[in-house]
Each structure stands twice: as C-alpha cells, then as structure tokens.
Amino acid sequence: MARRRLVYEGKAKILYEGPEPETLIQYFKDEATAFNAQKKAVIEGKGVLNNRLSEFFMTGLNAIGVPTHFIRRINMREQLIRMVEMIPVEVVVRNYAAGSLSKRLGLPEGQQLPRPILEFYYKDDALGDPLVSEEHIVAFNWASQQDIDDMIALALRVNDFLSGVFLGVGIRLVDFKIEVGRVYDGDFQRLIVADEISPDSCRLWDIETGRKLDKDVFRQDLGSLADAYTEVARRLGVMPRNAARMNAGPKLVN
Ligand code: UDP
C-alpha cells in the first residue's frame, strides 16, 4: 500500500492527505501534553476515545445546522474531515470561572459567570497562545470583523449544544475551546468548526461530586485520564465496543 502523505503533525493529532480533493484524514494520537507541552505523557487509549467523542459532538453539531469539518469516522483512530484554512485563533467559551480566567481576575474556581464569556487566544506556541482582543485580530489581519462575528455566533451555538448534551448526563460544561476554519463553496466562503471537540479541550465536572473528567486530571495529577475520558464516553453512550478492555490489558500481579 502506498505511504500516505503527512500534511501536519501536532501534539495530539496527525493530518494526512485525504482520499478526495479538499479532504484530510485526522489521526488521534495517545500523546497528552499540557502547559504548552512542558508536561507530556502517553495515555493508552486516549486517541481512540477522542476520535469517538469528537465524532459524536461534530455529528450532533452538523445535525442541528452548526457546520463542522467532520465527514465520517474511518476507523478507531482516524476520521475523514474537510480541509479548511485555519483561522489562527482559539475561541474559548466560559460558563463558570476556572483556569486562566480565575487566575487573571481572582475569581473562585466554579463560580457561575453572569453570562457565557467568550475569549480569543492567538495560536502561537512560541508565545504560549496569548489572550488577544478583537482589535488585535482585525488589525493584524488574522480574521475580519465579519469572521469574528461569525466565530462568536458559532461558538455560542456550540456552547448551547454541548452544555445541554453534558447536562443530560450529569456533567457541567465549565469551559471549552474550539478552532474555526474557512471553506470555499464556489464563490462563497464560510467558517466552520474544525480541529476537535473532546475532553482535551473542555472542562467537565461531574455535577453531583465535582469530579473532574477532563484534561485537568492530567494537568493536576488527579488520577487516570483514560478512566475519566472513558466515563465521559460511557455516559454519552459512545463507548467503543472493546473500550472496557482497552485500558485493562494484562496486569502484573505479585
Ligand atoms: N484550552 C485548550 N487548548 C489550549 C488552551 C485552552 O483546549 O491551548 C481549553 C482548556 O482545556 C479549557 C479552556 O480552553 O477548557 C480554557 O482554558 P484556560 O484559558 O483556562 O487555560 P488553561 O487553564 O487550560 O491554561
């Protein structure tokens, strides 16, 4: 079989050339990174779970008319996606204070915000993805004012959808990040949700117990990340058939 052309390799995913024009194959790795890749580990099964979970969220978004890059899942670790021109900005939506917002403004973690708060971060690893304003985005030509308005509308719809889905399974969506890309349909262009939506890019707290079910488990050494993601997948009914065994493996006994 011919070797596929690698288009891009990131921290948690690899992009390969797709089978048709304007498509890519997105491969989910088991690598976990945090603090701008200063902390790294391989979490067995994470890629499989995130592939499934991102498929689940993107399929739901497509179904309610929020356009995404997702076309179909190919196998345990890969999905077919539309090629997009990435906007070099991360869009964060927050419903409760946590993480960098709590630090920056001295808000207690878990405090409900008066309304969803939207932030933009400039995607630049060397700079550590700094917080930027709409002024920066337009002035430096990363996106137009119209693009910003479209990104805000997309992100708020994603927030309503995800908040509802998680609420239904007893999970609080504290905050999340999305990335957005541009596609061209003939003379028209539009922005669609790209990258991934998974517990790597959300803060998810169990509503009853407050247990963290997202990448903070890894950032803060709170236990098994694979167990946390498996719990999210199980509650959403998107467990891969062999997931129960996936992390079990043979165990060394004394
Ligand atoms: N986030 C992300 N990728 C990043 C930065 C943030 O997916 O490069 C997510 C993060 O998981 C959280 C939300 O965006 O759900 C807000 O993150 P925050 O600004 O609080 O930064 P952090 O505390 O993660 O450094």
Side-chain angles (χ1 to χ4, degrees):
M1 201 163 79
R3 223 180 144 74
R4 290 184 299 191
R5 196 169 74 81
L6 189 143
V7 175
Y8 175 81
E9 175 150 15
K11 285 170 274 195
K13 296 186 296 291
I14 306 174
L15 296 177
Y16 295 101
E17 204 169 54
E20 296 134 42
E22 301 302 310
T23 65
L24 293 170
I25 291 169
Q26 179 162 250
Y27 175 99
F28 287 76
K29 301 196 276 187
D30 279 343
E31 266 87 348
T33 62
F35 311 117
N36 207 9
Q38 288 170 48
K39 179 170 179 171
K40 286 186 206 165
V42 172
I43 312 284
E44 208 184 317
K46 180 175 86 85
V48 174
L49 287 159
N50 281 354
N51 185 27
R52 287 280 183 162
L53 285 163
S54 204
E55 171 193 18
F56 176 77
F57 298 124
M58 298 276 185
T59 304
L61 287 168
N62 285 339
I64 63 163
V66 178
T68 81
H69 72 167
F70 181 83
I71 301 171
R72 68 174 175 274
R73 189 169 57 79
I74 297 171
N75 57 41
M76 295 273 278
R77 289 187 181 272
E78 296 178 326
Q79 47 184 247
L80 184 68
I81 58 171
R82 280 190 75 170
M83 189 188 284
V84 304
E85 199 178 276
M86 290 303 288
I87 306 291
V89 158
E90 297 187 342
V91 188
V92 167
V93 182
R94 303 175 182 276
N95 300 304
Y96 294 81
S100 69
L101 178 72
S102 286
K103 265 191 225 118
R104 202 179 316 118
L105 300 183
L107 299 174
E109 287 238 327
Q111 177 177 302
Q112 186 165 22
L113 300 171
R115 42 166 256 201
I117 293 178
L118 211 133
E119 297 171 340
F120 297 104
Y121 292 84
Y122 179 49
K123 271 171 70 72
D124 187 315
D125 281 341
L127 297 175
D129 296 347
L131 178 69
V132 293
S133 69
E134 295 188 21
E135 284 277 295
H136 297 124
I137 295 172
V138 177
F140 297 121
N141 229 349
W142 299 327
S144 67
Q145 187 60 53
Q146 179 64 55
D147 292 334
I148 292 176
D149 295 344
D150 292 349
M151 286 195 280
I152 294 172
L154 277 176
L156 290 177
R157 287 198 72 193
V158 173
N159 185 44
D160 284 345
F161 173 75
L162 291 181
S163 293
V165 167
F166 281 122
L167 184 63
V169 295
I171 293 174
R172 170 164 300 144
L173 178 63
V174 173
D175 57 30
F176 67 94
K177 181 256 326 182
I178 57 166
E179 297 186 26
V180 169
R182 194 186 311 283
V183 290
Y184 297 87
D185 294 319
D187 288 343
F188 296 95
Q189 51 150 310
R190 63 192 174 122
L191 298 184
I192 67 176
V193 178
D195 191 54
E196 72 177 299
I197 299 178
S198 75
D200 270 5
S201 51
C202 301
R203 277 200 175 88
L204 305 170
W205 296 355
D206 181 80
I207 289 177
E208 294 272 299
T209 65
R211 176 184 167 199
K212 293 182 178 175
L213 296 167
D214 55 64
K215 209 165 87 176
D216 276 347
V217 172
F218 172 68
R219 292 191 189 95
Q220 302 167 8
D221 295 313
L222 299 177
S224 159
L225 190 71
D227 284 356
Y229 287 21
T230 301
E231 175 64 13
V232 174
R234 190 191 62 77
R235 288 198 200 181
L236 293 169
V238 293
M239 275 272 274
R241 226 178 306 145
N242 60 350
R245 284 189 291 110
M246 204 168 55
N247 304 309
K251 282 221 169 64
L252 197 64
V253 284
N254 289 320

